[in-house]
Amino acid sequence: MAVTLREVAERAGVSRSAVSRTFTPGASVSARTRAKVEKAAAELGYAPNALASSLTTGRTKLIGLVVNNFHNPLILEVFDLFTRGLQDRGLRPLLVNLSGATDPAATVRMLRQYSVDGVIVASSTLPASFAEAFKAAGLPVVHAFGRASTAPDVSVVGIDNVACGRMAAEALISRGYARVGFLGGPRGATSTQDRAAGFLGRLAERPEIAVSVSYAEDYTFDAGRARMQRLLEGDRAEAYFCGDDLLAVGALSAIREAGLSVPRDIGLIGLNDMEMARWQVIGLTTIRQPVAAIIDAAIEIVVATIEAPDMAPEVRLFPCEVVERGTLRPVA
């Protein structure tokens, strides 16, 4: 049987409230009493009950982690970093998988049933309405990888996707490609829209370069492969900016299956720098998104918002960089 708070109190020769205060952060307890309680707890193998503690403090230390696109390997990296980052701060994640979900109200109801202290929405494809629904319900919320705004309703941490699109265009321009293409994810995703806007906007300044635009059904390997197979049947571009590494890896597979070579026949650049992009058999040139920094900032802001609910929403955007690996020809 689990050791109880009462047994620790009896062993230490103190009251049960003294034991409770000892294991309550910020509670007042003398050094002498603390030492006696900690010694008794160690001898008995006692660990405080987190759920019972939440009844006293009014805090569960649960943070709702709302994600989707679990078929994308980047999400597993995100989940790993988020959970470790929360646990390092004495918090616990409550994972919500929103793949295929469209009703933010149902998600809000579920999270409120578990009395989460705050919510982090970790997705570039979920609409802002999901994060805004949590704020409307009185929950501290941060949208990680969300779309930036000059007047945000909720805090947003991520990257400037328009700037990334321009960065990809610059990479292709500098290599002298005369025909380039954008291979994006779902049309409705704000990340797709912004990356396309930046890419096409920069290339509009170079009218001598022919530009094509196509969209995959999802940010998946299969979707990227299928879309590239169709592109290869027509008047293909010399190089493509794929709006996500997984799309780029799928495109790479289709190109090789067609007996063509990357970058000799077709160049590719992705976005994210997920672990798979670094594999030797892939070696994808890509735009690195600083995932760890984004996650750390999201946790920092949601914790601050829990402590100060009236804190104004903020936007933090992190710079990206091109990582050269060999799927584009050398700079001209």
Side-chain angles (χ1 to χ4, degrees), residues 132-146:
E132 291 164 4
F134 300 128
K135 182 178 181 181
L139 292 169
V141 58
V142 176
H143 192 171
F145 310 102

Side-chain angles (χ1 to χ4, degrees), residues 195-220:
R195 292 166 192 177
F199 185 72
L200 299 175
R202 177 64 183 93
L203 286 164
E205 301 169 13
R206 299 292 298 267
E208 74 278 12
I209 300 177
V211 184
S212 62
V213 179
S214 59
Y215 297 94
E217 295 180 357
D218 207 346
Y219 281 124
T220 65

Side-chain angles (χ1 to χ4, degrees), residues 116-258:
V116 297
D117 291 336
V119 180
I120 295 173
V121 177
S123 172
S124 65
T125 56
L126 285 173
S129 59
F130 274 86
E132 291 164 4
F134 300 128
K135 182 178 181 181
L139 292 169
V141 58
V142 176
H143 192 171
F145 310 102
R147 190 181 216 174
S149 167
T150 55
D153 291 320
V154 301
S155 291
V156 175
V157 182
I159 60 174
D160 184 339
N161 282 299
V162 175
C164 286
R166 290 195 297 266
M167 191 179 297
E170 289 286 357
L172 301 188
I173 291 170
S174 67
R175 287 160 172 80
Y177 289 111
R179 301 190 313 279
V180 302
F182 175 71
L183 198 171
R187 288 176 183 264
T190 59
S191 54
T192 299
Q193 296 165 7
D194 290 347
R195 292 166 192 177
F199 185 72
L200 299 175
R202 177 64 183 93
L203 286 164
E205 301 169 13
R206 299 292 298 267
E208 74 278 12
I209 300 177
V211 184
S212 62
V213 179
S214 59
Y215 297 94
E217 295 180 357
D218 207 346
Y219 281 124
T220 65
F221 171 90
D222 288 339
R225 179 172 173 272
R227 175 53 61 182
M228 180 53 71
Q229 286 174 332
R230 287 192 286 273
L231 290 170
L232 292 175
E233 295 172 355
D235 185 17
R236 67 174 185 260
E238 295 175 332
Y240 290 89
F241 166 41
C242 299
D244 177 89
D245 283 351
L246 206 53
L247 290 176
V249 175
L252 177 64
S253 174
I255 293 167
R256 288 175 173 171
E257 286 175 358

Side-chain angles (χ1 to χ4, degrees), residues 305-329:
T305 308
I306 291 168
E307 297 297 331
D310 295 330
M311 188 176 82
E314 64 173 294
V315 174
R316 291 192 198 176
L317 299 182
F318 290 83
C320 297
E321 61 179 329
V322 174
V323 180
E324 303 277 359
R325 293 204 179 91
T327 55
L328 290 179
R329 66 194 186 195

Side-chain angles (χ1 to χ4, degrees), residues 1-9 44 46:
M1 289 181 61
V3 177
T4 66
L5 182 145
R6 178 179 179 178
E7 290 172 300
V8 175
L44 294 171
Y46 171 79

